[in-house]
Amino acid sequence: MNKKFINLALVAALGFSTYIAPITAFASTDEDIKASTEKLVDLENKEETAESQLSTITATIADNEKKAESLVADMQETQTSMKVLEEQITNLKSAIEKREAKLEEQARSVQVDGDSRNFVDFLLNAESISDVLGRVGVVSQIVSANQSLVEAQAADQDAVVAKQNETEEKVEEQTLLAAKLEASKTDLEQQKLEKEAVVASIAAEKSVVENEKEKFLAVKAAAEKGAEELALVKTTATSNSSASVETVSTKTTVASEVTAKPAATEKAVETKKATTSNGSWTTIKNAAYGVTGTPYLYGGTSTSGFDCSGFTMYAFSAAGINLPRTAGAQYAASTKVSQSEAQPGDLVFFNQTGSIDHVGIYLGNNQFIGSQSSSGVAVTTISQAYWAQYLVGFGRIN
């Protein structure tokens, strides 16, 4: 009886001392789980707010895309109007040339420069009264016809000037439309990146906290299992209690190992800086001139059509240099140089709408090659009246 009592006391003492560790582990792990849960609740609240913001951004992007579609339609209408105006100017010039030929022909037979003596001689040579009357009618018709031709000639010349002015206004309008599209595209790209950044940030943070919580729950489960086994040892009080305690210690060790956190690994990302060396500039120039005449196309980055920044991307990519997608981003990525320091191969930037909205490749001697909405890929003079008023400066890709 005494021996049995001693065994029970020994087992109870061992079981109680070993049981303390899981109880302590429970308290610590429960605090960790509670903290992780609170973090998740906080992240869920942030996620709800972010989703609301993302909805607003998405709506803004959709609205900007509709505006872009409308601007493209306006550009197409402008281009059609330009073609019609060019045909009208050609027809007017042709009509003027025909009238000038007719006036010259009549001038050779009867002078119409205001010297009335030729008409008087013509009348005096009449052989009879009826002949005089006939000749008076002829003179009247000649003067009237010539006067109509002169008036029509003057009117058409005025019309040609007006049509030319109208054409130039249309060209400028089209160029400004293209600039608005470029600025709109920059906004869209920025909002898209911001949206992706918000989504990725929340997802990454939630993933980390959820993984931590799962680890804490695993530790707690292992500790609870160990506690259950210790409780079983206490109630059985058999002679093999030592072995049972050893088994429980092993379980506790396993539980402790579960709490070990794996070391984080980081992967370095290297960025390669490109330079416009002499060899690079030759390659860029050949690529640029190789697509001369390619039509302007909003959003275009291939030989089927380019917008301004798509063209510069294409030319520089031939030399292995990756430029950002928009004119504004290319301006931000370049090292600014003065016009006196500018060299062939530098970028030249313009601001027509309140922000950087056009870019071309500087050729030297105040010339640049770019994709203009009015001409497609072509060489243009910076000092031209239109571009001179919008010049911002020059940038070098280092």
Side-chain angles (χ1 to χ4, degrees), residues 182 185-186 189-190 193 271-274 276 299-301 306-317 320-336 347 349 356 358-361 395-398:
E182 182 69 23
K185 181 177 62 182
T186 300
E189 290 287 337
Q190 180 180 356
L193 291 174
T271 57
K272 179 182 179 182
K273 291 185 177 180
T276 53
T301 58
F306 294 104
D307 59 17
C308 64
S309 53
F311 166 72
T312 52
M313 277 182 60
Y314 171 85
F316 273 73
S317 67
I321 301 173
N322 296 323
L323 294 183
R325 177 61 187 91
T326 65
Q330 291 178 15
Y331 180 77
S334 65
T335 300
K336 309 309 175 290
L347 296 176
F349 298 95
I356 302 299
H358 190 66
V359 61
I361 302 173
R396 183 165 298 159
I397 302 301
N398 296 319

Side-chain angles (χ1 to χ4, degrees), residues 51-354:
E51 286 177 351
S52 176
Q53 294 172 345
L54 291 176
S55 297
T56 302
I57 292 173
T58 302
T60 302
I61 291 175
D63 183 58
N64 284 343
E65 288 176 346
K66 288 182 180 179
K67 290 180 180 178
E69 291 176 0
S70 176
L71 287 172
V72 169
D74 289 342
M75 285 180 62
Q76 292 174 344
E77 183 178 347
T78 300
Q79 290 173 346
T80 301
S81 298
M82 285 175 58
K83 291 180 180 179
V84 172
L85 286 172
E86 290 173 356
E87 291 177 359
Q88 291 176 348
I89 290 173
T90 300
N91 292 336
L92 284 172
K93 288 182 177 179
S94 176
I96 289 172
E97 290 174 356
K98 289 179 180 178
R99 289 196 191 99
E100 287 179 347
K102 188 172 184 180
L103 285 170
E104 289 176 359
E105 181 181 352
Q106 290 182 355
R108 285 192 295 269
S109 60
V110 179
Q111 293 183 3
V112 291
D113 58 0
D115 188 353
S116 59
R117 288 175 299 177
N118 295 298
F119 295 119
V120 173
D121 292 340
F122 177 65
L123 294 173
L124 290 177
N125 291 329
E127 297 179 353
S128 62
I129 297 298
S130 60
D131 189 17
V132 169
L133 294 176
R135 294 193 178 202
V136 167
V138 170
V139 169
S140 176
Q141 290 178 359
I142 291 174
V143 172
S144 176
N146 285 333
Q147 183 177 359
S148 297
L149 283 174
V150 170
E151 290 175 354
Q153 189 79 341
D156 278 355
Q157 287 174 341
D158 291 340
V160 167
V161 173
K163 290 294 182 182
Q164 286 176 332
N165 292 335
E166 185 177 353
T167 301
E168 291 174 359
E169 290 176 0
K170 285 291 183 180
V171 170
E172 290 191 9
E173 178 185 348
Q174 182 184 21
T175 303
L176 288 174
L177 285 174
K180 290 179 180 179
L181 284 174
E182 182 69 23
S184 173
K185 181 177 62 182
T186 300
D187 291 340
L188 288 173
E189 290 287 337
Q190 180 180 356
Q191 291 178 29
K192 180 182 177 182
L193 291 174
E194 289 175 353
K195 178 180 177 180
E196 291 174 347
V198 170
V199 172
S201 177
I202 292 177
E205 195 169 355
K206 281 186 67 177
S207 176
V208 170
V209 176
E210 286 172 350
N211 287 338
E212 287 179 351
K213 184 175 180 179
E214 288 178 1
K215 290 177 182 178
F216 292 141
L217 288 172
V219 170
K220 182 177 180 181
E224 287 176 343
K225 184 177 181 181
E228 289 175 359
E229 293 181 356
L230 283 175
L232 181 61
V233 170
K234 284 183 64 179
T235 55
T236 55
T238 59
S239 58
N240 60 349
S241 59
S242 297
S244 299
V245 171
E246 184 179 352
T247 301
V248 173
S249 297
T250 303
K251 296 290 185 179
T252 304
T253 301
V254 171
S256 299
E257 291 176 352
V258 174
T259 62
K261 296 182 179 180
T265 60
E266 297 182 354
K267 183 178 182 180
V269 178
E270 296 181 355
T271 57
K272 179 182 179 182
K273 291 185 177 180
T275 59
T276 53
S277 62
N278 291 334
S280 296
W281 166 230
T282 300
T283 304
I284 293 169
K285 181 172 65 174
N286 290 339
Y289 277 97
V291 292
T292 300
T294 300
Y296 177 89
L297 176 65
Y298 171 71
T301 58
S302 68
T303 52
S304 60
F306 294 104
D307 59 17
C308 64
S309 53
F311 166 72
T312 52
M313 277 182 60
Y314 171 85
F316 273 73
S317 67
I321 301 173
N322 296 323
L323 294 183
R325 177 61 187 91
T326 65
Q330 291 178 15
Y331 180 77
S334 65
T335 300
K336 309 309 175 290
V337 296
S338 66
Q339 186 164 1
S340 60
E341 296 172 328
Q343 300 174 358
D346 289 339
L347 296 176
V348 56
F349 298 95
F350 301 88
N351 175 357
Q352 305 162 88
T353 60

Side-chain angles (χ1 to χ4, degrees), residues 365-379:
N365 297 323
N366 281 331
Q367 291 186 320
F368 74 96
I369 184 170
S371 181
Q372 283 70 246
S373 57
S374 58
S375 62
V377 177
V379 174

